[in-house]
């Protein structure tokens, strides 16, 4: 029998998110589905690099810890898990989940979804949306991952897999898919898919709708941020939904938190592109129905796009950084002298060097504020280079300021990091063939 | 008398590549019309001119009483290759709220 209500929780909004809110949701949330959204734009390119070095790697680094905590409670409470923790290697991630299940003595069926890796389709001639130039101009291609839609997840939902693990899938599609599966909606009905996409978008950043990344102790106080609960939505067959959280968890859900999240990262509220639909956020209505409960109605959309977005990862060389702090009288003047020395020594070697005066103008220019008189200033110098040894020169020059620069500098740190760049392009959706791989472990009681 | 946006509205910054997205949401729905009148796309562009290198598009959302500003060429090249510390531009919501109207 079809349900008239489906409850979906979101227990992670990024790879580094806290572990316990998902466990609380699975234990006490009375969920049908738990979603963990753990794949940021460039994370998959880094994961592709790990996979290239070791074919058993390339999935989310926190997968083992998350699954170890969640598997027993998911099985006990019959909650199905959907997550993009597969990153560049969903099949290896499924193998890892089977390994954990064996160790814990729990039967489990895992469906890995692949098909987002479309590197073989790209020659480098394709035009990048950001630059208008061929993607090969950016640098050596490392990865190309298309954003799959809800349709790619449906076969896995129709199997009786307990856990569905994917690579690159559009974030709202992780939520749209189980709703389509449960309610029997048509993926060709843009109105209902648009509504489901709005709910998915409200949930996908987890704590960002329950008071996380919202709190301001002066104007927007939020209680008990240290035990912030993550959200769930009760979604109804007409596409409307009510966002809530587990009773007793910290944080709060209000019209204000919901509005901030509705608009988050939306470049055109009339046309929010996903592989499933072009959703319209200008017709969404939000209503606070009780404490920590916000009802979502309206929304809608028009037909899904024929092309899917592809994130291209490329080698962008190395970044070198160095930092040093000055304190007390005329700290800023000494920090600026230090910056000037580095500039004079290195300006010819780097196409662009950046000088930040932390505690003074490290994130915004001084023109945005009239009152600055720092007691201490930390100089940060950063630049990009083709090779690691060139990038390292920046940190070395900052370190040399100890005995060659202004008085009283201390606390030097220096870093070099490989830079993975990202550009976007499009691919015809007909070229994409999503695939499902099932892995199963059946526990035999002794 | 001038009002600082921080006192009557809140904001969250988002990013897509080199594009910065800033919501502006009044605490009181009655202030929505005031924000529509005073916080134009051009005013936001001028306020953030030391950071933005592109244009600003404003979307009005009377359904939730909020404005959305989409600022292009605003993130020094974008999340991955830019040399700035706040590559996502996440702190810029509070730069917008410093604006006086």
């Amino acid at each position: 029998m079809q349900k008239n209500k489906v409850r979906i929780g979101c227990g992670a909004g990024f790879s580094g998110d806290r572990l316990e809110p998902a466990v609380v949701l699975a234990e006490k949330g009375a969920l049908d589905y738990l979603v963990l959204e753990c794949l940021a734009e460039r994370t998959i390119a880094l994961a592709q690099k790990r996979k290239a070095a070791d074919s058993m790697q390339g999935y989310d680094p926190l997968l083992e810890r998350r699954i170890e905590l969640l598997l027993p409670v998911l099985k006990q409470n019959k909650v199905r898990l959907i997550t993009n923790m597969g990153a560049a290697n969903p099949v290896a991630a499924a193998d890892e989940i089977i390994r954990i299940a064996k160790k814990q003595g729990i039967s489990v069926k895992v469906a890995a979804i692949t098909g987002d890796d479309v590197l073989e389709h790209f020659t480098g001639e394709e035009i990048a949306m950001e630059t208008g130039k061929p993607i090969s101009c950016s640098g050596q291609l490392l990865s190309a991952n298309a954003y799959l839609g809800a349709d790619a997840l449906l076969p896995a939902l129709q199997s009786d897999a307990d856990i569905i693990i994917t690579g690159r899938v559009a974030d709202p599609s992780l939520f749209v898919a189980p709703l389509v599966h449960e309610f029997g909606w048509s993926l060709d009905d843009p109105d209902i898919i648009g509504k489901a996409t709005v709910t998915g978008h409200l949930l996908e950043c987890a704590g960002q709708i329950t008071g996380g990344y919202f709190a301001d102790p002066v104007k927007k106080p939020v209680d008990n941020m240290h035990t912030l609960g993550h959200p769930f939505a009760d979604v109804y067959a007409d596409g409307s939904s009510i966002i809530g959280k587990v009773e007793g968890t910290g944080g709060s859900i209000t019209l204000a938190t919901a509005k901030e999240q509705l608009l988050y990262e939306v470049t055109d509220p009339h046309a929010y592109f996903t592989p499933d639909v072009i959703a319209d956020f200008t017709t969404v209505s939000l209503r606070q129905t009780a404490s920590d409960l916000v009802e979502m109605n309206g929304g809608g959309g028009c037909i899904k796009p024929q092309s899917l977005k592809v994130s291209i990862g490329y080698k962008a060389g190395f970044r070198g950084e160095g930092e040093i702090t000055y304190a007390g009288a005329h700290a800023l003047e000494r920090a600026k002298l230090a910056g000037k020395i580095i500039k004079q020594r290195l300006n010819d070697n780097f196409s662009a060097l950046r000088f930040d005066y932390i505690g003074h103008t490290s994130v915004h220019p001084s023109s945005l504020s009239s009152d600055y008189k720092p007691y201490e200033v930390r100089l940060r110098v950063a630049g990009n280079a083709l090779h690691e040894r060139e990038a390292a020169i920046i940190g070395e020059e900052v370190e040399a300021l100890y005995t060659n620069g202004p008085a009283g500098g201390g606390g030097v740190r220096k870093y070099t990091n490989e830079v993975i760049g990202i550009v976007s392009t499009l691919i015809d959706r007909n070229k994409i063939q999503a695939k499902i791989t099932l892995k199963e472990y059946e526990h035999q009681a002794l | 008398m001038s009002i600082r946006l921080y006192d009557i509205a809140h904001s969250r910054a988002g990013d897509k590549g080199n594009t910065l997205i800033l919501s502006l949401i009044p605490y009181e729905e009655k202030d929505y019309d005031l924000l529509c009148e005073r916080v134009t796309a051009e005013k936001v562009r001028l306020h953030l001119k030391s950071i933005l290198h592109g244009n600003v598009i404003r979307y009005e959302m009377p359904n939730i009483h909020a404005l959305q500003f989409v600022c292009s060429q605003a993130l020094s090249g974008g999340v991955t290759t830019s040399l700035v510390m706040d590559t996502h531009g996440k702190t810029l919501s509070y730069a917008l709220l410093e604006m006086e109207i």
Side-chain angles (χ1 to χ4, degrees), chain A residues 213 216 219 260 263 284, chain B residues 6-7 10 63 68 90 94:
Chain A
Y213 210 57
D216 175 335
K219 290 288 281 184
E260 277 199 18
L263 294 175
V284 171
Chain B
Y6 176 81
D7 293 322
H10 55 106
N63 55 318
Q68 180 89 318
K90 284 182 175 287
Y94 274 76

Side-chain angles (χ1 to χ4, degrees), chain A residues 42 208 213 216 219-220 259-261 263-264 266-267 281-282 284 319 354 364-365 380 384 420, chain B residues 6-7 10 12-13 16 21 27 50 59 61 63-64 68 70 80-85 90-91 94:
Chain A
R42 76 191 183 118
Q208 280 196 183
Y213 210 57
D216 175 335
K219 290 288 281 184
K220 299 189 288 180
K259 286 179 185 178
E260 277 199 18
Q261 181 56 28
L263 294 175
Y264 181 65
V266 175
T267 51
F281 287 12
T282 64
V284 171
R319 174 165 313 136
R354 185 176 167 99
H364 307 156
R380 167 183 178 262
N384 287 332
I420 306 296
Chain B
Y6 176 81
D7 293 322
H10 55 106
R12 175 175 293 172
K16 283 277 181 235
I21 300 142
Y27 288 104
S50 49
Y59 293 97
M61 298 196 65
N63 55 318
I64 56 164
Q68 180 89 318
V70 178
T80 53
T81 50
S82 128
L83 291 173
V84 302
M85 279 201 297
K90 284 182 175 287
T91 60
Y94 274 76

Side-chain angles (χ1 to χ4, degrees), chain A residues 147-191:
Chain A
Y147 283 79
L148 302 181
D151 53 341
L153 274 69
L154 286 181
L157 286 155
Q158 282 148 13
S159 78
D160 52 354
D162 307 293
I163 296 178
I164 295 159
I165 185 144
T166 77
R168 176 59 74 209
V169 168
D171 296 350
S173 305
L174 298 169
F175 301 85
V176 172
L179 296 171
V180 168
H181 173 67
E182 292 283 351
F183 291 126
W185 292 338
S186 164
L187 273 170
D188 295 322
D189 177 349
D191 189 55

Side-chain angles (χ1 to χ4, degrees), chain A residues 193-203 262 279-281 284 296 298-300:
Chain A
I193 303 301
K195 289 180 168 73
T197 298
V198 174
T199 296
H201 179 71
L202 288 172
L203 291 176
L262 181 72
D280 184 356
F281 287 12
V284 171
M296 191 288 295

Side-chain angles (χ1 to χ4, degrees), chain B residues 21-87:
Chain B
I21 300 142
L22 296 168
S23 56
L24 185 66
I25 306 161
Y27 288 104
E28 306 277 347
E29 289 183 352
K30 66 175 174 54
D31 288 333
Y32 174 68
D33 292 339
L34 178 75
L35 295 182
C36 286
E37 185 194 318
R38 305 272 180 91
V39 191
T40 59
E42 181 59 11
K43 190 139 190 251
V44 169
R45 194 186 65 77
L46 286 173
H47 178 68
L48 297 174
K49 66 177 187 297
S50 49
I51 291 166
L52 304 183
H53 299 289
N55 64 341
V56 176
I57 300 171
R58 185 180 86 167
Y59 293 97
E60 295 174 16
M61 298 196 65
N63 55 318
I64 56 164
H65 300 92
L67 292 173
Q68 180 89 318
F69 297 91
V70 178
C71 316
S72 60
Q73 298 180 55
L75 297 174
S76 311
V79 170
T80 53
T81 50
S82 128
L83 291 173
V84 302
M85 279 201 297
D86 177 16
T87 49

Side-chain angles (χ1 to χ4, degrees), chain A residues 42-280:
Chain A
R42 76 191 183 118
T43 323
I44 202 157
L46 297 168
Q48 292 280 17
K49 269 193 67 189
R50 293 200 302 276
K51 183 185 175 185
D54 177 349
S55 63
M56 290 307 291
Q57 294 296 319
Y59 53 83
D60 189 280
L62 282 180
L63 177 127
E64 181 182 359
R65 285 168 68 194
R66 288 196 197 279
I67 296 295
E68 278 185 345
L69 285 171
L70 283 170
L71 187 59
V73 51
L74 290 173
K75 287 292 289 187
Q76 188 176 344
N77 292 343
K78 297 188 170 54
V79 179
R80 294 178 89 180
L81 177 69
I82 301 173
T83 178
N84 53 15
M85 276 195 291
N89 205 345
V91 176
D95 285 333
E96 173 66 6
I97 295 169
I98 296 291
R99 187 190 68 78
I100 295 165
K102 280 182 189 165
K103 196 174 78 180
Q104 294 183 338
I106 297 171
S107 298
V108 73
K109 191 166 175 182
V110 185
I113 311 293
T114 49
D116 60 308
D117 185 338
V118 291
L119 189 58
E120 60 177 343
H121 290 288
F122 285 85
T123 61
E125 300 293 307
E126 297 80 4
I127 300 298
M129 287 154 79
E130 290 85 353
T131 62
K133 293 180 190 155
I135 50 179
S136 57
C137 293
S138 297
Q140 187 193 331
L141 300 198
L142 271 175
S143 63
N145 290 82
Y147 283 79
L148 302 181
D151 53 341
L153 274 69
L154 286 181
L157 286 155
Q158 282 148 13
S159 78
D160 52 354
D162 307 293
I163 296 178
I164 295 159
I165 185 144
T166 77
R168 176 59 74 209
V169 168
D171 296 350
S173 305
L174 298 169
F175 301 85
V176 172
L179 296 171
V180 168
H181 173 67
E182 292 283 351
F183 291 126
W185 292 338
S186 164
L187 273 170
D188 295 322
D189 177 349
D191 189 55
I192 199 86
I193 303 301
K195 289 180 168 73
T197 298
V198 174
T199 296
H201 179 71
L202 288 172
L203 291 176
E204 70 182 60
C205 296
Q208 280 196 183
I209 196 169
T210 55
Y213 210 57
F214 172 87
D216 175 335
V218 177
K219 290 288 281 184
K220 299 189 288 180
V222 175
D223 289 337
N224 296 317
M225 300 276 298
H226 64 297
T227 57
L228 193 79
H230 284 187
F232 57 70
D234 284 333
V235 187
Y236 296 88
D238 67 356
S240 66
S241 62
I242 296 176
I243 312 287
K245 67 183 183 69
V246 174
E247 213 177 313
T249 58
S252 68
I253 300 172
T254 64
L255 273 182
T257 66
K259 286 179 185 178
E260 277 199 18
Q261 181 56 28
L262 181 72
L263 294 175
Y264 181 65
E265 292 185 336
V266 175
T267 51
D268 181 351
H270 299 277
Y272 182 75
F273 274 73
T274 79
D276 306 320
V277 70
I278 302 169
D280 184 356

